[in-house]
Amino acid sequence: MDFSHSPKVAALRERLLAFMDEHIVPNDHLHHEQHAAMTDRWQPVPIVEQLKPRAREAGLWNLFLPESGHGAGLTNLEYAPLAEIMGRYPWASEVFNCSAPDTGNMETLERYGTEAHKERWLKPLLAGEIRSCFAMTEPDVASSDATNIQTRIARDGDHYVINGRKWWSSGAGDPRCAIFIVMGKTDPDAEKHRQQSMILVPRDTPGVTIKRMLPVFGFDDAPHGHAEILFENVRVPADNILLGEGRGFEIAQGRLGPGRIHHCMRAIGLAERALEMMCRRALERRPFGKPLADQGVIIDRIAQSRILIDQCRLLTLHAAWRMDTVGNKVARTEIAEIKVAAPDMACQVIDWAIQAHGAAGVTEDFGLAYMYKIARTLRIVDGPDEVHKFQLGRMELNKYRAPRNARPGESV
């Protein structure tokens, strides 16, 4: 394992850091002010739109895509440090056309879409002309087990008809959202992992109704948002199915693996920023006649934060390396590990940063409350902690279930 940056990644990293310092960090308060002042919070934030052409000119566009001819041609391991840098500011990823769920949806279209799908949907997504939504989770079933999904995708001649209710459908609130990738059941009688399929549903298809946008800890996440969506007799061409019927789980695994690297590295970026804020606060504030930085509990939390962040970064880089070398399926243990570890770590570090800021930490003056919301939500996104831990525990136990050839004097 070698986690050092290649010359290509080192150059991209330096350019990205320079862009962040010049355009993202100084405009963070402006982004907040512009969004707060908007009469329609679901419209694009002006500063984000202004910075996108500059990111393209700087060659910092679509960095997430692997060898495809459309992006920077980076592996998961190569993209990871760039995702961390962008993740320091929650709104930054969109500036580089590297924000969820579009990244995962573009990868899905690139890997599993037809040439017609790519021309109609991938091309404008890569150009940043439209945005997209991923609709899998449902309110009426325990969606942490995707075999429970009940949305029906029924063949009717040259079309499929979709009926069901989704929620936490990320990206649906954005007025630029033009395409949904919907997971549903095409064959209820098939083997359970072959019942589901994924299909492309244009946003303006009759029968698609956004019932409400769901707040997260009081934040609406506009203009991105998470929607509850009703699909009532939604009719789309049969050609809109991805790969064919019964391939939904296969697509989901291909989509979620890289997405978890992205999520975890962005969480590490958030934690790094929270630690920086905690250190600056500790040096500036003087309760009881001396700096917070002289308090043993603060020093201990700063040290623990450094340890936790570095541990998670190495764990995530290792998972990215494994995905690149042996594939997502073989690397499922490492992927599950980081999905539990990184959001949990970020929650803890951000919580300590909030505590160091006192009452100011729970306001929006410093952004820590919003950062905590992101980290805490990640413990549920793409599968709750409990599911990943259950899978990890079973995989670990399975190492000891089958007998192995023991050496003399060695127990089996």
Side-chain angles (χ1 to χ4, degrees):
M1 292 176 287
D2 182 3
F3 298 156
S4 60
H5 303 313
S6 67
K8 178 181 180 180
V9 174
L12 281 171
R13 186 174 179 275
E14 288 305 311
R15 280 161 42 202
L16 181 58
L17 285 168
F19 192 99
M20 294 285 290
D21 289 342
E22 183 178 357
H23 299 295
I24 302 297
V25 178
N27 286 310
D28 189 44
H29 284 293
L30 177 60
H31 176 272
H32 180 74
E33 290 168 3
Q34 285 184 343
H35 200 202
M38 293 171 68
T39 54
D40 182 357
R41 289 176 50 79
W42 297 97
Q43 294 301 314
V45 182
I47 186 60
V48 176
E49 299 309 300
Q50 292 167 19
L51 291 178
K52 286 180 179 180
R54 295 187 180 185
R56 294 191 73 158
E57 291 168 7
L60 299 171
W61 190 257
N62 292 333
L63 297 171
F64 67 95
L65 274 177
E67 298 290 351
S68 65
H70 298 299
L74 301 178
T75 64
N76 288 297
L77 180 59
E78 290 174 323
Y79 178 67
L82 308 181
E84 177 183 342
I85 293 168
M86 288 183 277
R88 289 174 62 89
Y89 291 84
W91 60 277
S93 294
E94 187 187 345
V95 171
F96 308 99
N97 211 37
C98 290
S99 56
D102 294 337
T103 49
N105 289 343
M106 284 187 267
E107 287 180 336
T108 298
L109 288 166
E110 172 64 30
R111 293 178 182 179
Y112 309 113
T114 65
E115 290 306 313
H117 297 155
K118 294 175 185 179
E119 181 65 25
R120 184 176 180 186
W121 303 116
L122 179 60
K123 191 173 178 179
L125 279 168
L126 288 166
E129 297 169 355
I130 64 172
R131 296 208 64 185
S132 60
C133 167
F134 185 64
M136 184 174 80
T137 306
E138 298 181 2
D140 297 326
V141 298
S143 299
S144 56
D145 177 1
T147 61
N148 287 331
I149 287 173
Q150 294 300 309
T151 290
R152 190 72 169 91
I153 304 174
R155 185 70 182 254
D156 182 20
D158 293 334
H159 291 79
Y160 281 99
V161 179
I162 305 162
N163 283 280
R165 187 159 63 116
K166 299 288 186 180
W167 72 343
W168 300 112
S169 299
S170 299
D174 195 308
R176 299 162 295 180
C177 179
I179 184 68
F180 298 162
I181 298 181
V182 180
M183 187 166 178
K185 190 166 290 189
T186 45
D187 185 358
D189 299 321
E191 184 272 323
K192 71 175 184 177
H193 289 100
R194 298 285 295 177
Q195 295 180 8
Q196 311 289 343
S197 302
M198 287 195 189
I199 196 164
L200 300 173
V201 179
R203 168 67 183 86
D204 58 1
T205 307
V208 177
T209 304
I210 295 182
K211 300 292 290 183
R212 58 173 173 152
M213 300 308 299
L214 301 165
V216 184
F217 288 117
F219 296 98
D220 59 12
D221 278 342
H224 172 76
H226 316 278
E228 180 179 346
I229 307 174
L230 193 61
F231 295 88
E232 297 176 293
N233 296 318
V234 176
R235 180 177 289 267
V236 299
D239 290 343
N240 283 24
I241 201 86
L242 291 175
L243 283 186
E245 292 189 12
R247 308 288 293 275
F249 273 86
E250 176 185 345
I251 297 169
Q253 290 306 308
R255 183 188 189 280
L256 292 175
R260 285 166 182 157
I261 295 291
H262 303 174
H263 276 317
C264 291
M265 291 306 291
R266 285 194 291 261
I268 291 165
L270 274 183
E272 280 285 5
R273 185 171 161 219
L275 174 57
E276 176 185 320
M277 294 169 69
M278 181 171 23
C279 290
R280 294 186 185 280
R281 184 76 170 185
L283 291 168
E284 293 167 358
R285 304 297 279 192
R286 297 181 62 87
F288 307 109
K290 62 180 181 179
L292 268 176
D294 289 349
Q295 301 288 346
V297 66
I298 292 293
I299 295 174
D300 180 78
R301 288 174 178 175
I302 289 170
Q304 286 292 330
S305 296
R306 179 76 278 145
I307 294 167
L308 291 171
I309 292 171
D310 288 350
Q311 284 176 338
C312 278
R313 181 183 294 107
L314 288 171
L315 198 63
T316 307
L317 292 175
H318 178 250
W321 173 77
R322 287 278 289 167
M323 289 166 61
D324 292 336
T325 54
V326 299
N328 296 2
K329 185 174 182 180
V330 178
R332 62 189 184 277
T333 298
E334 291 81 4
I335 295 171
E337 288 174 7
I338 62 169
K339 183 54 182 65
V340 174
D344 188 56
M345 172 279 296
C347 280
Q348 180 61 81
V349 173
I350 296 167
D351 183 72
W352 282 334
I354 289 172
Q355 201 69 15
H357 283 72
V362 296
T363 69
E364 268 307 283
D365 290 3
F366 290 88
L368 286 164
Y370 189 71
M371 291 163 66
Y372 185 84
K373 183 276 300 184
I374 293 172
R376 184 60 184 85
T377 306
L378 279 178
R379 292 184 58 197
I380 299 172
V381 171
D382 289 351
D385 290 355
E386 292 79 4
V387 170
H388 293 290
K389 287 180 179 178
F390 182 71
Q391 291 173 340
L392 273 171
R394 286 197 305 177
M395 286 187 283
E396 194 67 20
L397 284 168
N398 285 341
K399 297 177 184 178
Y400 303 93
R401 293 189 194 281
R404 59 186 174 87
N405 294 326
R407 294 175 181 171
E410 184 181 39
S411 60
V412 176

